[in-house]
Structures are given as C-alpha cells and as structure tokens.
Amino acid sequence: LLQWSLEAFPAAFGDWQPETRLIEAWYLLWLVILLFKINEGLIRHFQGFGGKSPSGNKLLFFMARFLVFGGAIFAILQLSFDFEASKLFTSTAVVAAVVGIAMREVLGNYLAGISIHLVGTVEPGQWIALGDKEGEIIQRNWRETRLRTTGGHILIVPNSHLANVLVNNMSWPNNLRRHTLDFTLSFAVPPAQAREQLINAALGCAQVDLSFKKPDAWILAFRDYGVSYRLRFWSRTFHDRTALEGQVQERVWYHLQRATIAIPFPEGGQLNCISLSREEAAVSEGDEISRELIACGFPQRYFSREDGSFVAGQEALRRFAGRLVPLLFGPGETIQREGVVEPAGFILLAGEGLLVSRLHPQEAWAMQPGEMAGELSLLTGLPWPTSLITREKEGRFLKVSADALQELLAASPEGRARFESAMVQRTRIMMESLQQLDARVHWQERMQGEAPPEDNTAHHSA
C-alpha cells in the first residue's frame, strides 16, 4: 500500500522517495515470514495440532521463529545493505560468555525444562518417584517442577535435577502396578496351603486389581527358622500403597489365624512360634461355645418358647455347639459370597455383619449378635442369595455345617417349626424391601425418561 501510494502520488511526497534496496529488503523479509508460516502450518496439520500446540511445541515454534526471523534480518542486512554481521557476533560473544557463566544454573534448568517439555517425560497429573521422594505433578514451568506428596507436602524440584536422575513414572502409560510382600511361615505348613491362604487374603481386598493378573504367591527362600514366601498382586493405587499393603497384611493375619498357621521368629538363639489360632476354643469344647451362644442370644432368638425355655434342651445345644467352628474375620472382610454353593451358615457372636445383594448393592441388612446367615443354603443346598461381610469392626462367627443344624432340628419338632418360621419371616422382610427398592428405582427411571429395568420380582420370590 505504501509503495502504491508513492507511485500514484509522487508530488505528495516531494523529493523523499524510498531506495530500491529498502523495497527489496522489505519484500525479502515478508517472503521469509510467508515461507516460515507455510512450513509451520504444514507441521501443525500433519502432527494433528489443529491450530493448538502443546506447551512444549509452543516453545519449539517460538524458538524456531526467533532463529528464522533473526537469521533473515541478518541475511537481509548482509545482502541489501552490505552490513557485516560477523562484527556484531564478535562484539557480543564476550558478553554472551559472561552472561552464560553467571547464569549457568538458570540456563541449565531452562534447557532441561525445554527438553522435558519437548520429550514429554512427565506431565501434570502424573505420579512420579525421584529416589525416596514421590508425588503428583501439580505444576511445571521452564525452571522447576512442583510435586505434591500423599501427605500434602509440596516438593519443588529443579528441572536440571529432574533431567539427570532416574524417574519412576507411576502413571504412564497407565497406573497399573505390582506390589510384593514377603512372609515367613513355619516349615510344618505345606507350601500349597500357605500359598492358598496368602492368595485368598489378597483376593479379599477390594482395591486389588484383578483385570490384568490375579494375585500369586511363591516360595522365595528357605530360612533357618521357616519358609519365606512372596505374595504378588496388582493395583491402580500404587502411589498410596501403604494403605493397601497394610490391608493385605491384615487380611493375611486373619486368614492365618483361621487356618491355625503359625509364624516363626528367632529369639535368643531359640526358635519360637506365635500361633495365630485359638486352640482352646476348638470344636471339642462345646460347653464354652454353648455359653457363648446363650450369651449372644441365638437360642432365645430361634429355639425358645414364650417363657424363655429352650425347646430342644441343654444337651442338644451342647452337642450342637461342639460341632461349630469359631472363626475371626477382619473389618470389611467378605465371609461368604453371593452365588456360592456351599452348605454352610454363620452365627454372629460379636461385632456386626452385613448381608448385601449384588442386584442392589446400595441395600444392606445388618446382622446382630445371635442372628444366623445362610440357613436357607443349609436346608436346601441352594447358592447363597446374598453376600455376608463384616463392617468396620472385626467379627467373631461360628461356622455351622448342614449336619450340625439337621441334628439340632431333629432333636425337637417344635424347635424345627420355630426355626423355619423365623427363617421365613426374615426372608419375607428382605424380599419386601427389595421389591420396594425395585419400585423406587423403576419410578426414578421413568421420571428420567429411561427404559424400565428388568423385573427382578421373580428372582427375589424364587
């Protein structure tokens, strides 16, 4: 536009007319800019940026523009104005060297930040470990990277340090990671039994991931005082592994306790064993267990008349108690799963239990001491209709076999009638609550315009 104005109205500008070399320099500069923009647009198109560049590529384009435009200006000065650019480079070399030495730490962090951004070593939101320090990346810039640990502490790591150490990225390409825990058990325990208890303990934790691999356990070494096993399992919360590994070890304790497996340890040159079982509460001691049954209210709930007398007699209760197996379960542990075909029932002695349905996991029925779960499976051999789990506290249960319950019911027809009546009454309450829940869900989905759910009434009735 300026050149057109000069040519169209020469009298308006008088003697002032631009030199030819200025016009050539102007055209050369914009020609370089045009070529660079075309090249940059092709790069963005084929790399799929869609007009938006990641932060690292923004810096790359900025540096490329700076170098191209600076080189173009020096080239134009050299070609059009006979300016020796080498003199300018020579005069600034000393200044650049002094500035580089004085700011070597800052420049080192800056260049390391450029490298990290361009390569994509770490990204915000990822969990990384640097030696004994680890945390989530919450912010990064050209000088430093900021981490937040699981304890809430903020760690500021210079980029030069991040670029020179081994980085354990716990979020890339995904957050699936393996845990390992070592246990030493007695030589008297068969390896197959020990491995089974360790694996079952890991399977009982909800945070253990089963989508990739199931937990496994192997013999690690033979020690002077026992056999060392290694338990391996996977999770997607490796950054907060203390809670999960602690829960797995707690589950191992309860499993070993119920399996009467001892943990050996050396003390004073002698080998001692801590038995995790209550041998004094064995099945043969029916008197003690019968007293616990009476204390928790089991006979009063199922086998007592209105005057409080036990319909089957004390001797039948003592024989029944002698065939029960006392078990201890940890907080939140699954005792029996829904759909499992196992003719076994459980009487709650202490603590709290929950009956949860897979169809409606938000609905649960609390068990109180003295109540029995699984009696329907004991009498019919059908799968468990619900899952039985403990709550926040550990629970003490008595495992009931089908033969033990049939012997107790055979001791008194009146006792059988009272037991079956209580069982039917509780089943009716559970079925009615599930039907009401189905009706609420059906109404909510109709209000939201969704398709009606599958009718589960027949399932509950069956």
Side-chain angles (χ1 to χ4, degrees):
L1 181 61
L2 177 61
Q3 184 180 2
W4 177 84
S5 300
L6 290 173
E7 295 176 352
F9 307 101
F13 294 92
D15 295 335
W16 187 85
Q17 293 291 333
E19 299 181 11
T20 303
R21 62 179 182 176
L22 291 179
I23 298 176
E24 293 178 352
W26 185 254
Y27 280 139
L28 283 175
L29 177 61
W30 283 104
L31 179 61
V32 171
I33 294 176
L34 176 61
L35 294 176
F36 180 81
K37 285 292 185 179
I38 292 175
N39 186 46
E40 182 179 338
L42 292 175
I43 293 176
R44 289 177 181 271
H45 174 73
F46 287 108
Q47 290 191 359
F49 294 154
K52 296 182 179 180
S53 302
S55 57
N57 291 287
K58 290 181 181 179
L59 179 63
L60 177 63
F61 287 130
F62 171 78
M63 294 179 61
R65 292 191 194 103
F66 180 80
L67 293 177
V68 170
F69 294 162
I73 291 174
F74 279 113
I76 292 172
L77 291 175
Q78 181 78 25
L79 296 175
S80 300
F81 297 94
D82 297 329
F83 179 80
E84 295 185 8
S86 58
K87 294 181 179 180
L88 182 60
F89 286 120
T90 303
S91 61
T92 57
V94 177
V95 178
V98 173
V99 173
I101 294 174
M103 301 181 64
R104 61 183 182 274
E105 295 294 337
V106 177
L107 291 176
N109 290 326
Y110 183 77
L111 295 176
I114 293 175
S115 174
I116 293 172
H117 281 66
L118 294 180
V119 177
T121 305
V122 293
E123 298 290 342
Q126 293 181 343
W127 284 87
I128 65 172
L130 307 173
D132 59 342
K133 305 295 183 182
E134 61 182 60
E136 179 188 9
I137 299 177
I138 58 174
Q139 185 183 5
R140 67 177 187 181
N141 51 47
W142 304 118
R143 180 188 176 276
E144 63 195 21
T145 300
R146 300 185 179 185
L147 310 178
R148 180 173 54 204
T149 66
T150 54
H153 303 284
I154 304 299
L155 305 180
I156 301 177
V157 183
N159 287 333
S160 59
H161 177 74
L162 186 64
N164 293 324
V165 298
L166 179 64
V167 179
N168 180 11
N169 193 326
M170 292 179 281
S171 300
W172 185 87
N174 54 55
N175 55 1
L176 186 65
R177 296 294 181 272
R178 189 180 69 186
H179 304 249
T180 58
L181 294 175
D182 295 339
F183 301 91
T184 301
L185 305 179
S186 172
F187 282 107
V189 181
Q193 181 182 0
R195 293 174 56 240
E196 180 183 4
Q197 295 299 327
L198 295 177
I199 293 173
N200 290 337
L203 290 174
C205 297
Q207 292 186 356
V208 173
D209 190 274
L210 305 178
S211 60
F212 177 67
K213 277 187 178 181
K214 292 185 178 180
D216 56 18
W218 306 97
I219 293 179
L220 184 62
F222 289 93
R223 311 295 184 186
D224 294 337
Y225 53 92
V227 182
S228 181
Y229 295 86
R230 171 159 293 177
L231 174 63
R232 307 186 303 179
F233 55 94
W234 296 77
S235 81
R236 299 184 182 275
T237 57
F238 189 80
H239 58 274
D240 194 18
R241 55 190 173 276
T242 301
L244 176 56
E245 293 178 356
Q247 186 182 37
V248 171
Q249 293 183 83
E250 178 182 314
R251 292 285 190 270
V252 169
W253 191 94
Y254 283 102
H255 276 74
L256 296 181
Q257 188 272 343
R258 293 194 293 271
T260 67
I261 296 178
I263 295 180
F265 69 99
E267 181 182 4
Q270 296 181 351
L271 182 64
N272 295 329
C273 287
I274 297 180
S275 178
L276 300 181
S277 64
R278 277 190 58 200
E279 297 181 358
E280 66 276 6
V283 179
S284 59
E285 297 190 355
D287 293 336
E288 180 180 353
I289 297 180
S290 63
R291 287 194 295 267
E292 290 183 318
L293 281 175
I294 296 174
C296 73
F298 172 75
Q300 298 88 328
R301 187 182 298 273
Y302 293 100
F303 297 98
S304 293
R305 300 186 180 94
E306 287 72 10
D307 57 359
S309 60
F310 184 56
V311 296
Q314 295 296 326
E315 181 61 24
L317 178 63
R318 192 193 68 80
R319 291 196 306 268
F320 172 71
R323 303 185 63 175
L324 304 182
V325 180
L327 298 174
L328 182 65
F329 293 88
E333 192 170 0
T334 300
I335 302 170
Q336 189 67 284
R337 297 187 183 277
E338 179 181 354
V340 175
V341 181
E342 181 181 356
F346 295 90
I347 301 173
L348 178 61
L349 288 179
E352 291 182 339
L354 283 178
L355 293 171
V356 182
S357 172
R358 185 171 60 246
L359 292 173
H360 300 291
Q362 70 274 20
E363 188 78 7
W365 298 269
M367 286 184 62
Q368 300 300 326
E371 288 189 342
M372 182 177 179
E375 65 274 18
L376 185 63
S377 299
L378 283 176
L379 296 178
T380 64
L382 294 174
W384 273 62
T386 57
S387 295
L388 175 60
I389 61 175
T390 56
R391 302 191 74 173
E392 291 80 7
K393 300 179 181 179
E394 65 180 16
R396 294 182 61 244
F397 290 82
L398 293 174
K399 186 175 182 180
V400 185
S401 64
D403 294 339
L405 181 61
Q406 291 292 352
E407 181 181 351
L408 179 61
L409 296 180
S412 171
E414 182 184 357
R416 173 182 287 274
R418 290 182 178 274
F419 180 82
E420 292 178 350
S421 175
M423 181 186 68
V424 170
Q425 179 65 21
R426 190 173 69 166
T427 303
R428 181 183 296 111
I429 293 174
M430 294 176 62
M431 185 179 68
E432 290 175 353
S433 63
L434 281 177
Q435 290 175 346
Q436 293 174 2
L437 181 61
D438 282 338
R440 291 199 303 268
V441 173
H442 180 71
W443 180 82
Q444 292 174 358
E445 292 184 350
R446 289 189 60 185
M447 294 297 293
Q448 296 174 359
E450 299 178 358
E454 181 183 357
D455 186 9
N456 294 320
T457 305
H459 172 83
H460 302 317
S461 300

